[in-house]
Amino acid sequence: MRSTPFYIIGNWKSNKTIDEAVVWFKEFESLWKTMPFVLSQTTIILCPSFIHLRVLKSLIDLSSLAHVLHLGAQTLSSSKQGAYTGEIAATQMKDLVEYAIVGHSERREHFGETDAMLEQKLTQAHENGIKTIYCVQDKDQSIPQNCDLLAYEPVWAIGTGKPATIEHAHEVAEHLKAKSGRNLGIIYGGSVTHENVHDYAADEKLSGVLPGGASLKPGDFYNLIKSAVQ
Ligand code: PGA
């Protein structure tokens, strides 16, 4: 049993129609109803696409998963609301999400997000009461002062089926925590599954995991949570 908080953050990336998201939720909820866990130290966050948030929030609020399953965004606009076609501002999403991922490597690589833009995103999130999960890809990257959680996600481990060893994740987490100069929770992400999550959860230097592929099927995500808390 852990004595410190542990976060399980599912990142659906650019997957699922609205109907598929509803089916996912219903299946996850029926698994949960059959065998709910005691989640004293564990927070479960699901980060679907923006199109899913409204319907998932309504379903969660009316279900046995209210206060169990929390919602997060995969990114947010670096600007306030206004004339920014295609962007979704923190003010627009603050009633739907409690968390936002900022600086995922896929955002940095495919959408040219820079550290300066990411700082603005953090500011927008905090001005609107959204907690942030800031991603870095290696231990030399700068750590912003105002992120709430820091996710270490090496690109060689993302979607490759080759997760970082627990020793590596532990060492980097220790380094990042010391570098941040505060008691910042460090999350590990990259090919986390129900088969390997237990080792990460057993390490008190780590404050959570960020599974992508393993959050897409309700049974996989449920089993991952089960393995983490047991
Ligand atoms: P993965 O993705 O679990 O599919 O490797 C993790 C992530 O990119 O957040």
Side-chain angles (χ1 to χ4, degrees):
M1 265 295 185
R2 287 180 64 98
S3 59
T4 53
F6 194 73
Y7 293 81
I8 299 175
I9 307 162
N11 176 9
W12 279 0
K13 308 193 179 182
S14 191
N15 286 295
K16 296 193 190 296
T17 62
I18 293 175
D19 287 352
E20 287 165 350
V22 170
V23 169
W24 184 100
F25 177 80
K26 297 218 159 122
E27 286 180 26
F28 186 81
E29 191 196 15
S30 48
L31 289 166
W32 184 263
K33 274 190 187 149
T34 326
M35 205 167 89
F37 313 120
V38 179
L39 290 172
S40 59
Q41 289 290 346
T42 309
T43 303
I44 307 170
I45 305 165
L46 184 67
C47 302
S49 300
F50 286 119
I51 57 160
H52 305 129
L53 287 172
R54 177 70 264 165
V55 69
L56 285 179
K57 177 151 173 47
S58 303
L59 289 168
I60 292 169
D61 286 350
L62 295 169
S63 77
S64 54
L65 288 162
H67 312 297
V68 172
L69 190 56
H70 302 263
L71 285 172
Q74 296 172 15
T75 182
L76 76 161
S77 175
S78 54
S79 307
K80 291 182 191 296
Q81 69 175 35
Y84 302 100
T85 302
E87 287 288 84
I88 301 183
T91 43
Q92 296 177 280
M93 67 175 83
K94 69 177 178 188
D95 297 334
L96 297 173
V97 298
E98 292 171 66
Y99 296 86
I101 299 174
V102 175
H104 191 283
S105 59
E106 289 154 12
R107 301 290 317 169
R108 294 178 192 254
E109 186 191 341
H110 303 304
F111 304 99
E113 294 190 353
T114 61
D115 283 357
M117 285 161 75
L118 299 176
E119 287 278 356
Q120 291 173 2
K121 287 176 189 250
L122 289 174
T123 304
Q124 288 304 316
H126 288 122
E127 282 180 359
N128 289 284
I130 299 170
K131 293 188 266 289
T132 50
I133 304 150
Y134 189 85
C135 300
V136 294
Q137 291 72 50
D138 65 64
K139 60 183 183 182
D140 300 324
Q141 261 171 275
S142 56
I143 304 172
Q145 269 313 308
N146 57 348
C147 58
D148 296 292
L149 292 165
L150 188 73
Y152 168 56
E153 294 215 313
V155 284
W156 45 262
I158 295 178
T160 58
K162 296 189 179 115
T165 60
I166 185 63
E167 292 78 17
H168 175 81
H170 178 99
E171 187 204 310
V172 176
E174 208 162 42
H175 175 92
L176 291 171
K177 201 184 274 272
K179 188 171 153 183
S180 76
R182 59 193 168 107
N183 189 24
L184 182 59
I186 313 292
I187 312 293
Y188 167 72
S191 297
V192 176
T193 64
H194 74 274
E195 283 160 347
N196 58 28
V197 71
H198 185 76
D199 292 345
Y200 301 115
D203 188 334
E204 300 260 344
K205 272 279 175 262
L206 292 174
S207 296
V209 288
L210 206 164
S215 67
L216 288 174
K217 289 191 185 147
D220 288 350
F221 195 51
Y222 175 86
N223 285 332
L224 191 152
I225 299 163
K226 189 162 105 182
S227 308
V229 300
Q230 278 174 353

